[in-house]
Amino acid sequence: MRYIVHDKKYNFKYAFDTETGAYIRTGILDENGRDTGVDPFMGSYPHLIDVGIMGHCIHGKTGLCSKAGIGCYQSGLFVEEPNMTVENFRSIAEQSKGRCNQLALGGRGDPDQHEHFEEILQICRKNNLVPNFTTSGYGMTPEIAQLCKRYCGAVAVSWYRSEYTLKAIEMLLDSGVKTNIHYVLGRNSIDEAIHRLNENDFPAGINAVIFLLHKPAGQGTVDNMLAVSDPRVEEFFSQIDARHPFKVGMDSCNVPGAIRFCKSILPESLDTCEGGRYSCYIGADMIMVPCSFDQKKRYEVSLKEMTIEEAWNSEPFERFRDTMRKACPECEKRELCLGGCPLMPEIVFCDSDKRGR
């Protein structure tokens, strides 16, 4: 199914294909309906919602993340809260029908281990929303993989460097699921990333490897944070520039690095931080924030007291957006970057003397 939506509040159009995941939006339209080429700063409703259906991690006590060298940014090892109820999830889906494109299922554990996982996927499709999710793969089964084939747009397996990682990828590929690898990029993993990209050393048949920048949130430490001055960062982005038998992508937190170091990427293909502009996070407790990395909930709004649209237009969200609106006014690349991460400026791959002025 394909649909086109006219965002009348900010005067642009966006289109989404629920089968392929193709998504495009125009620039701001002029009085004759022509594209001005100026990117709209935000939408009147999030186009993607990260829904934390998992309030706790059933594998948390086994320490899967830490054993893989990954610090769970949601502190799943320590936090024990109830998973999101089906009723609350249905409310999110019904409010978002026809306005939002995708629901990225997540939270403090593997979404495929939610006690009502199949029903949640069915609710998504009933409301013309494409569900996607990331899993460690530890609890993946052929039956779950078949559910993914039936309902999901894509599934990402976290690169945990274990036998169960490869088995999960194999099960998903065997079921015909578009399968990605999510690779957390930090000081402890960048050498491996460079080597594997140079050797094209990822499982055959995957759709893409997506690199997610390590952040000092939750159990993520400052010590593992990469700096723009680290020569390996430039070497890594040279590999992003190279051709590979699989797609290579990155989260928006990496965009300042791509702007700085990549020579082959079209600037039009880059989309900087979408938090509070085109995406948001809703936790199992129905607290909505502009970005899932706002673990201190500096910009929280409770959906027990208002709708998603009201939360989207609330004062905390506007405060979050103002950081990007005012960032780096003298920089000629600000429209591509908007100053990078509003939550953790220390992770931004930029050392320009115009930054923050």
Side-chain angles (χ1 to χ4, degrees):
M1 175 182 175
R2 300 173 184 175
Y3 61 85
I4 300 174
V5 179
H6 185 188
D7 189 315
K8 295 181 180 179
K9 183 175 182 179
Y10 296 107
N11 200 23
F12 69 96
K13 292 182 180 181
Y14 60 96
F16 187 72
D17 188 315
T18 61
E19 298 305 317
T20 67
Y23 163 69
I24 189 171
R25 62 178 181 253
T26 68
I28 297 172
L29 305 175
D30 65 16
E31 62 274 11
N32 297 311
R34 293 176 297 199
D35 192 332
T36 62
V38 178
D39 285 341
F41 176 75
M42 63 180 288
S44 60
Y45 194 89
H47 293 185
L48 181 148
I49 301 178
D50 191 354
V51 186
I53 62 173
M54 301 300 290
H56 60 277
C57 180
I58 65 172
H59 307 310
K61 293 179 181 178
T62 66
L64 292 185
C65 292
S66 57
K67 289 177 182 176
I70 298 168
C72 176
Y73 75 92
Q74 296 223 25
S75 299
L77 186 62
F78 304 112
V79 179
E80 288 282 340
E81 292 184 357
N83 292 335
M84 181 175 287
T85 66
V86 171
E87 291 72 22
N88 281 340
F89 185 83
R90 183 178 288 109
S91 173
I92 292 169
E94 290 177 349
Q95 289 182 65
S96 301
K97 184 177 182 178
R99 307 183 71 182
C100 179
N101 305 322
Q102 305 179 67
L103 298 185
L105 309 180
R108 294 190 187 92
D110 291 337
D112 52 28
Q113 301 303 299
H114 192 284
E115 59 271 25
H116 300 292
F117 183 61
E118 182 173 5
E119 187 174 1
I120 282 172
L121 296 182
Q122 291 170 342
I123 290 169
C124 289
R125 285 300 185 173
K126 182 179 179 180
N127 288 281
N128 295 330
L129 296 160
V130 177
N132 302 301
F133 69 95
T134 305
T135 176
S136 73
Y138 190 81
M140 181 60 64
T141 65
E143 291 75 22
I144 293 175
Q146 283 299 313
L147 287 178
C148 297
K149 171 60 178 175
R150 191 179 312 154
Y151 296 110
C152 295
V155 175
V157 179
S158 296
W159 189 246
Y160 275 18
R161 303 165 182 84
S162 298
E163 184 179 354
Y164 60 80
T165 305
L166 299 177
K167 283 186 176 179
I169 293 171
E170 183 180 358
M171 279 187 270
L172 290 165
L173 290 175
D174 286 348
S175 294
V177 178
K178 183 183 287 187
T179 306
N180 298 327
I181 288 172
H182 276 183
Y183 189 113
V184 178
L185 190 70
R187 290 181 64 187
N188 66 341
S189 64
I190 191 169
D191 288 329
E192 181 196 355
I194 292 168
H195 173 77
R196 287 189 180 275
L197 285 173
N198 186 52
E199 300 295 323
N200 293 320
D201 186 20
F202 285 101
I206 62 166
N207 175 61
V209 180
I210 312 296
F211 289 94
L212 313 175
L213 188 61
H214 167 86
K215 292 94 171 171
Q219 292 165 250
T221 65
V222 173
D223 291 344
N224 197 31
M225 190 175 69
L226 285 163
V228 67
S229 57
D230 188 326
R232 297 177 299 173
V233 171
E234 183 172 2
E235 187 178 359
F236 166 77
F237 280 105
S238 72
Q239 287 296 328
I240 296 290
D241 255 343
R243 290 186 177 274
H244 302 280
F246 41 80
K247 297 175 185 176
V248 177
M250 66 191 87
D251 62 2
S252 58
C253 311
N254 271 303
V255 165
I259 293 170
R260 166 94 181 255
F261 296 114
C262 287
K263 299 177 176 60
S264 302
I265 294 179
L266 289 173
E268 294 83 1
S269 70
L270 297 174
D271 212 352
T272 190
C273 177
E274 293 192 339
R277 302 192 308 122
Y278 293 100
S279 68
C280 66
Y281 177 79
I282 300 173
D285 56 2
M286 295 300 283
I287 296 295
M288 178 167 146
V289 289
C291 172
S292 62
F293 283 93
D294 183 13
Q295 289 297 298
K296 296 181 180 178
K297 297 183 177 179
R298 287 178 281 175
Y299 303 97
E300 72 172 19
V301 183
S302 174
L303 295 183
K304 296 174 183 176
E305 301 168 0
M306 60 181 72
T307 65
I308 294 173
E309 184 170 9
E310 288 170 339
W312 185 251
N313 293 307
S314 66
E315 184 276 334
F317 271 64
E318 277 299 292
R319 192 159 26 92
F320 180 87
R321 296 178 189 117
D322 279 345
T323 303
M324 289 182 276
R325 287 190 179 106
K326 298 173 182 177
C328 311
E330 296 182 14
C331 181
E332 62 275 11
K333 296 180 180 179
R334 78 165 305 277
E335 294 302 323
L336 288 173
C337 174
L338 298 179
C341 181
L343 291 171
M344 292 168 276
E346 65 271 24
I347 71 169
V348 179
F349 288 140
C350 180
D351 57 2
S352 170
D353 60 2
K354 295 180 180 179
R355 186 179 174 201
R357 290 186 184 178

